[in-house]
Amino acid sequence: MKMVTKTSKENEAKSGAELLIDSLHKQHVEMIFGYPGGAVLPLYDAFYDCDIPHILTRHEQGAVHAAEGYARVTGKPGVVVVTSGPGATNVLTGIADAMSDSIPLVVFTGQVHTPGIGKDAFQEADMIGLTIPITKYNYQVRDVRDLPRIINEAFHIASTGRKGPVVIDLPKDMGIAETDQVKADTIDLPGYQPTYTPNPLQIEKLMTALSRASKPLILAGAGVNHSRSTSELLEFAERYQLPVVNTLLGLGSFPNEHELFLGMGGMHGSYAANMALTDCDLLINFGSRFDDRLASAPKEFATKATIAHIDIDPAEIGKVIPTDIPIVADIGETLRAMLLVQLEENPDTSHWYKLNLTRKNRHPFSYDRSSKLSIKPQKVIEIIGELTGGEALVATDVGQHQMWVAQFYPFQYDHQIITSGGLGTMGFGFPAAIGASLAFPKKTVVCFVGDGGFQMTNQELAILNEYGINVKVIILNNASLGMVRQWQEKFHNERYSHSLFQTQPDFVKLAAAYGVKGFCLTNPDTLEKDLKKIFMEPGSAVVDVHIAKDELVLPMVPSGKPNHQMEGVE
């Protein structure tokens, strides 16, 4: 590639920090999440005069999860700036989380001066080596003139194809160095050419298979939400009366109350969804990677079905489940191509439709609604679903509450659920809710967390009032690591090794210490009235809801078992 240079505006020499800010403006970055330190002081000195808002979290992990929350609800790359060494290593979990769930991030990690790299300088960490397995791509800037091109490429890579995180490791001297000559920031990446348009012959093959199917089923994963093709999915499902099963991250891609919707499939999925996955004769997978929470026993997964898998990432096709009809393409482009095809005869799915509707009606997600001994977490979620009209942006942490939310909150639209799927990151939920609220300050944002996960990142309470953030934090408090406890009960002879908390903070007083309203709910008889009052009040709130310690997430497919072997089906 021939190197082209251009003179910066008015031949004015600019520092690397100034070039970085110029590049962020070109990318229309709305906010930066970060935490300063020695290696990025040149950047932060430039931020002093920068008009892009900077959100100072109280921990680097909070910064990266907040950026994830922003990215998950907007679809735009979240931007993070942290210092070298421990500042950079503190964001590794969030980077890995974003990689697993295909979330676009551009993370600037500070680095020691270029001459000190590889010499164990103070606060040095090999971020290129550390992030190779958990990023789409990473860079280390060695020439300040390259910085605009690198940033332009990083945003392009993060936000195209299968989205994901990109790290830019920036030595301190690259932020200080000045130049009036920068290399062209045009994108020339011949080795990176995502495929968006489906192969017409594969579309024809899939539609022929559909015309011959008697038990066709749609599996809608996160790819549908990422491609913002929910309306096309609805049209396609309705045209052929195809039942729809969601993955956890696919929730919101199909209307919750629609008669064709069977719910979430997999380990804690619905009876109707899992039985449909077992019995279907054509499975059309739109943007799910067949993860092990959905297909815990791959050799026994959808054994009667022709498998069609549509994914923008060719690496996912055939990785877990052998695929009969592979289509590497954007989900939206594929659905639009399929909608243009007119079948000579639509498949007769009337018997299949009736079977699925019967299963759905007979075996819905349920719990003991008559119990008055303690607050039922499922009831909490149902009430909040009603109070918010199913329209809230809903963030969760990881554990039992996450699965209860997936089962009982009535999700309505794409990018509505904000949860850690593939990595299962405790501590994710609260800062992610903050990022979502900053992205859409006028929307209701609800964060469901466990008492364990909340204690990992609750220091971010400090920034709620500072930035006028409105998040209702619902702690489903069972004084334990609930999902760990559940597995110990079912698979480890009730040996509760280090999963029960002997002491807990007073979460109401903790909230008050940060100037945030706090509430403690213990009475099941007044639950609905109490929640209604809390949600009517403006501003953030921390709501400590005491639930039974022994409440389980059911149904449950034991790890390694096929989907039809569910426990706890009523």
Side-chain angles (χ1 to χ4, degrees):
M1 177 183 172
K2 185 179 178 181
M3 186 59 66
V4 180
T5 62
K6 61 181 180 180
T7 305
S8 61
K9 187 177 180 181
E10 298 179 358
N11 296 318
E12 177 187 355
K14 290 190 175 183
S15 69
E18 291 170 322
L19 291 173
L20 183 148
I21 290 173
D22 288 347
S23 296
L24 295 184
H25 275 118
K26 282 187 178 181
Q27 296 297 333
H28 306 290
V29 171
E30 295 175 323
M31 63 189 69
I32 301 165
F33 300 88
Y35 204 99
V40 289
L41 283 181
L43 303 187
Y44 274 83
D45 187 60
F47 288 164
Y48 190 84
D49 299 314
C50 177
D51 59 356
I52 302 174
H54 179 283
I55 310 302
L56 175 62
T57 58
R58 295 303 184 260
H59 193 284
E60 291 91 354
Q61 187 173 356
V64 70
H65 290 326
E68 279 193 274
Y70 169 89
R72 285 173 188 259
V73 297
T74 64
K76 304 173 186 177
V79 177
V80 182
V81 178
V82 292
T83 194
S84 64
T89 59
N90 277 342
V91 299
L92 289 177
T93 298
I95 294 170
D97 188 90
M99 185 68 177
S100 183
D101 289 352
S102 307
I103 305 302
L105 295 181
V106 176
V107 181
F108 295 89
T109 57
Q111 186 54 273
V112 301
H113 285 82
T114 303
I117 294 175
K119 299 176 182 177
D120 296 326
F122 177 67
Q123 290 192 333
E124 180 186 3
D126 178 10
M127 288 306 292
I128 298 301
L130 286 167
T131 61
I132 283 174
I134 57 171
T135 54
K136 276 190 76 174
Y137 201 67
N138 57 22
Y139 297 85
Q140 187 174 79
V141 182
R142 290 299 187 112
D143 185 338
V144 69
R145 295 174 299 171
D146 285 326
L147 192 54
R149 173 188 61 81
I150 287 173
I151 293 173
N152 199 24
E153 287 181 4
F155 275 86
H156 175 72
I157 292 169
S159 57
T160 56
R162 180 177 178 175
K163 297 179 180 182
V166 177
V167 162
I168 299 175
D169 199 42
L170 188 63
K172 186 172 184 177
D173 51 320
M174 291 297 102
I176 298 170
E178 294 187 347
T179 183
D180 60 3
Q181 296 286 315
V182 295
K183 297 174 183 176
D185 60 2
T186 53
I187 293 171
D188 183 16
L189 299 169
Y192 177 69
Q193 300 293 331
T195 300
Y196 288 92
T197 305
N199 185 311
L201 294 177
Q202 293 300 92
I203 294 292
E204 182 181 344
K205 189 175 181 180
L206 175 51
M207 296 305 291
T208 299
L210 176 59
S211 69
R212 297 171 179 172
S214 60
K215 297 180 180 179
L217 178 68
I218 291 173
L219 174 64
V224 179
N225 286 332
H226 288 315
S227 64
R228 296 191 183 273
S229 52
T230 56
S231 60
E232 291 89 345
L233 177 66
L234 177 62
E235 183 180 350
F236 183 71
E238 289 184 333
R239 177 181 294 184
Y240 300 109
Q241 288 297 286
L242 304 178
V244 177
V245 171
N246 270 154
T247 63
L248 172 64
L249 294 180
L251 290 170
S253 65
F254 201 78
N256 184 275
E257 299 300 323
H258 200 288
E259 60 185 6
L260 290 171
F261 184 59
L262 303 183
M264 181 178 70
M267 181 171 285
H268 294 293
S270 71
Y271 177 84
N274 281 334
M275 292 308 298
L277 288 168
T278 301
D279 293 339
C280 65
D281 64 1
L282 173 64
L283 180 60
I284 307 174
N285 175 358
F286 290 111
S288 161
R289 57 188 178 84
F290 286 126
D291 73 281
D292 62 310
R293 286 300 183 263
L294 178 80
S296 185
K299 291 182 179 180
E300 300 178 74
F301 181 83
T303 56
K304 306 169 187 175
T306 297
I307 305 294
H309 189 175
I310 302 95
D311 204 294
I312 201 164
D313 184 357
E316 292 299 339
I317 295 179
K319 186 175 79 175
V320 178
I321 302 297
T323 302
D324 303 296
I325 307 174
I327 299 177
V328 179
D330 174 74
I331 303 300
E333 293 285 339
T334 303
L335 276 164
R336 285 186 283 275
M338 294 169 74
L339 286 166
L340 290 175
V341 176
Q342 296 296 326
L343 295 181
E344 292 183 6
E345 185 177 354
N346 285 357
D348 181 7
T349 60
S350 55
H351 173 74
W352 179 235
Y353 170 82
K354 291 175 184 176
L355 175 61
N356 285 302
L357 191 61
T358 299
R359 287 171 169 171
K360 178 180 175 179
N361 291 335
R362 287 183 179 176
H363 303 287
F365 289 125
S366 61
Y367 60 95
D368 185 0
R369 297 175 185 275
S370 64
S371 175
K372 296 294 184 181
L373 298 176
S374 61
I375 293 176
K376 291 290 183 179
Q378 303 93 330
K379 183 66 174 177
V380 175
I381 296 161
E382 284 184 334
I383 293 171
I384 292 175
E386 293 170 2
L387 290 173
T388 59
E391 294 288 329
L393 294 173
V394 178
T396 84
D397 210 77
V398 171
Q400 286 182 311
H401 70 275
Q402 179 188 35
M403 294 297 101
W404 285 320
V405 169
Q407 292 177 343
F408 290 95
Y409 191 87
F411 292 99
Q412 304 296 323
Y413 56 92
D414 60 83
H415 293 73
Q416 184 180 9
I417 185 170
I418 309 149
T419 195
S420 172
L423 199 63
T425 305
M426 287 181 66
F428 165 90
F430 180 42
I434 289 173
S437 182
L438 286 166
F440 293 108
K442 294 183 180 180
K443 286 194 175 185
T444 300
V445 179
V446 182
C447 177
F448 291 96
V449 294
D451 46 302
F454 186 56
Q455 292 182 75
M456 291 188 174
T457 49
N458 62 21
Q459 68 275 357
E460 304 307 334
L461 284 167
I463 72 173
L464 296 183
N465 291 330
E466 183 176 345
Y467 295 103
I469 297 165
N470 182 6
V471 175
K472 297 292 193 292
V473 181
I474 310 299
I475 306 171
L476 295 179
N477 186 348
N478 55 11
S480 67
L481 297 172
M483 192 61 86
V484 174
R485 185 195 179 283
Q486 177 166 333
W487 279 57
Q488 288 173 335
E489 176 180 327
K490 301 192 76 65
F491 308 119
H492 295 277
N493 300 316
E494 300 184 14
R495 289 159 57 88
Y496 302 121
S497 178
H498 305 285
S499 60
L500 308 179
F501 295 128
Q502 303 303 315
T503 59
Q504 288 277 56
D506 185 325
F507 290 112
V508 174
K509 290 182 178 178
L510 179 66
Y514 287 105
V516 177
K517 291 176 288 188
F519 305 88
C520 181
L521 306 187
T522 59
N523 186 351
D525 294 327
T526 62
L527 176 65
E528 187 166 1
K529 181 180 70 174
D530 293 338
L531 286 172
K532 186 175 182 179
K533 181 179 179 181
I534 291 166
F535 273 78
M536 287 178 65
E537 294 187 16
S540 290
V542 173
V543 187
D544 181 16
V545 186
H546 290 216
I547 63 172
K549 291 182 175 64
D550 57 356
E551 191 73 24
L552 301 178
V553 180
L554 296 172
M556 180 179 184
V557 179
S559 183
K561 298 293 184 180
N563 286 339
H564 66 275
Q565 293 186 14
M566 289 164 280
E567 297 180 1
V569 176
E570 294 187 3

